[in-house]
Amino acid sequence: MSRTVIVVLDGFGIGAMPDAGALRPGDITADTCGHVLDGCRELTGRPLRLPGLGALGLGVVHPHPDLAPATPLPVSVGRAALGYPGADTFAGHQTMMGADFSRVTVARLADHLPEVTAALKAAGHAVSPLGGRPLLVVDDAVLVHDNLEADPGINWNASARLEDMSFEGVLAIARTVRTVAPVARVIAVGGHADGPLTGFVRDGDGGTVGLDTPATGFYRNGGLEVRHLGAELDHTRQLPDLAARAGVPVTLVGKAADILACDAAERRPAVVTAEVVASTLDAVRGAGRDALVVANVQETDLAGHQQDTARFGRVLEEADAGLFELIGLLDAPGDRLIVTGDHGNDPTIGHAYHTREYVPLLIHRPGASGTEIRPDAPTLADVGATAAAFLGLDARGLANGSARR
């Protein structure tokens, strides 16, 4: 029997992966953890207070003067490579839960215009390029374009003003694009803009072209509707569904409630870190001897996108207080607390995109002894497989990953 809790510190990387500089050479110096620690000490004159992460062994796997170099707790520590292309929250969480993203690629819309155009025309839509640029105007209302808010080639969008087309219409077009898209997500977006969307088109990095969504006013004008259409996955071969079918109660907290599939799960969506922490603690306190809780702390990632080192540090301290309390709650032999990330988001790197970094893999193991330092996991899918093993489930039921007991 096991209460197993996975806490994902969104965007919390601990150093660049070897291929981190392939898109942006400067990213090879990315180190979200180290740079936030250094930056916050410089800004405040004191180290960040992270006793929970220190007790879980973060300073063992990422040595730093402001982190405890050792811990008396029974922990297993290491790093995990991402195991999917790019650096993306959706792909990271799906991989972490045991999905195989080997067929998902990073791709510009420009390289797939013929097949996307053909699929849309076959579905009865009028399609034309916008002024000869590599994005499409569909039914004189919807722009199909590269997503400029994530790394180039990670996601595509289908965007429209709701005055021009209903969100159901936008979603239908996005679903058609999804049938031929090789990328992790196709995102349907409808909202109220400050003017015609064609006036907000701009060039992005890596040869992408798309809508500058923040500039449109969608995020501030109210009425925004968004639907994320992920790459086709067999969700029955992911951890939440595997656990639920075995009779293990599943709770998804924070952004995990929005992006993970499991019909039987209790969902507790939240963005504010205090709410995520409170819901996670409440789920653990109310759990029986078997339970799976997956929680996402999103505000770390938001601080990275804002390039706000001070905010990143404040959110880390708030999340850490919750982790410290979880360590005390999960104290029975068989209980497990797994703390990890889904990618990096270094707020000091000079851009607002995710960074391709290793993430920590910290496991509190009541009933064990000492600190075990593990070799790098090749994929985040090992997180889901390891949690499955802790729950007494056969990790071979997942599409990807190997258990690390």
Side-chain angles (χ1 to χ4, degrees):
M1 293 187 291
S2 173
R3 295 178 297 174
T4 296
V5 179
I6 301 172
V7 176
V8 183
L9 299 175
D10 205 309
F12 190 59
I14 58 171
M17 291 177 56
D19 59 355
L23 177 62
R24 291 178 294 269
D27 282 11
I28 200 64
T29 66
D31 179 0
T32 301
C33 175
H35 291 159
V36 169
L37 289 169
D38 293 341
C40 287
R41 177 181 274 274
E42 183 176 345
L43 289 166
T44 66
R46 66 164 179 86
L48 287 180
R49 300 184 180 95
L50 303 175
L53 285 166
L56 290 166
L58 179 62
V60 177
V61 71
H62 186 288
H64 189 279
D66 291 346
L67 292 173
T71 174
L73 293 183
V75 295
S76 171
V77 301
R79 304 187 303 180
L82 301 186
Y84 65 88
D88 177 65
T89 295
F90 177 84
H93 281 72
Q94 303 305 327
T95 299
M96 192 184 300
M97 294 298 106
D100 181 359
F101 259 56
S102 61
R103 291 181 294 174
V104 173
T105 62
V106 175
R108 300 178 306 163
L109 179 61
D111 298 326
H112 296 270
L113 285 176
E115 55 263 50
V116 175
T117 300
L120 288 166
K121 287 184 175 179
H125 298 288
V127 185
S128 62
L130 178 65
R133 306 185 78 184
L135 70 165
L136 301 174
V137 180
V138 184
D139 297 339
D140 293 323
V142 178
L143 289 183
V144 175
H145 59 93
D146 292 308
N147 178 301
L148 302 186
E149 294 176 83
D151 263 340
I154 294 287
N155 305 317
W156 298 348
N157 283 22
S159 304
R161 301 191 308 174
L162 295 176
E163 295 88 346
D164 299 330
M165 180 173 285
S166 70
F167 187 67
E168 289 72 21
V170 180
L171 188 56
I173 289 169
R175 283 174 171 150
T176 298
V177 174
R178 174 73 274 174
T179 64
V180 293
V183 296
R185 277 184 287 179
V186 173
I187 307 174
V189 183
H192 301 290
D194 295 336
L197 296 188
T198 53
F200 300 101
V201 171
R202 66 170 176 83
D203 294 333
D205 289 347
T208 57
V209 180
L211 188 67
D212 185 342
T213 304
T216 65
F218 275 1
Y219 295 149
R220 64 175 181 274
N221 290 338
L224 181 68
E225 296 195 59
V226 179
R227 184 77 60 84
H228 296 263
L229 305 179
E232 184 176 351
L233 300 171
D234 183 354
H235 295 296
T236 66
R237 300 194 67 193
Q238 290 186 285
L239 177 63
D241 206 83
L242 183 71
R245 293 199 313 273
V248 176
V250 177
T251 305
L252 305 176
V253 181
K255 197 170 184 178
D258 298 326
I259 61 178
L260 296 179
C262 179
D263 291 341
E266 179 185 351
R267 297 181 184 274
R268 301 184 180 190
V271 174
V272 176
T273 301
E275 296 176 9
V276 173
V277 168
S279 286
T280 304
L281 291 169
D282 181 67
V284 172
R285 293 188 184 104
R289 288 305 310 141
D290 283 316
L292 171 65
V293 180
V294 183
N296 172 282
V297 176
Q298 184 181 358
E299 286 190 301
T300 40
D301 189 52
L302 298 179
H305 285 306
Q306 294 166 343
Q307 301 175 70
D308 189 337
T309 302
R311 182 187 180 194
F312 205 122
R314 290 194 299 270
V315 175
L316 268 185
E317 288 190 328
E318 191 170 11
D320 187 272
L323 292 176
F324 196 78
E325 193 165 351
L326 279 171
I327 291 169
L329 287 176
L330 297 166
D331 59 353
D335 285 347
R336 293 295 184 264
L337 171 62
I338 303 173
V339 178
T340 188
D342 51 351
H343 49 73
N345 199 340
D346 189 333
T348 72
I349 205 68
H351 60 73
Y353 296 121
H354 294 157
T355 42
R356 189 165 165 80
E357 299 180 51
Y358 291 101
V359 296
L361 182 47
L362 313 176
I363 306 174
H364 180 225
R365 308 173 301 162
S369 61
T371 297
E372 181 181 17
I373 302 175
R374 300 298 302 269
D376 290 346
T379 170
L380 280 172
D382 286 5
V383 174
T386 300
F390 290 152
L391 290 164
L393 308 175
D394 187 347
R396 292 174 297 179
L398 305 176
N400 194 16
S402 299
R404 299 163 62 87
R405 298 296 292 266

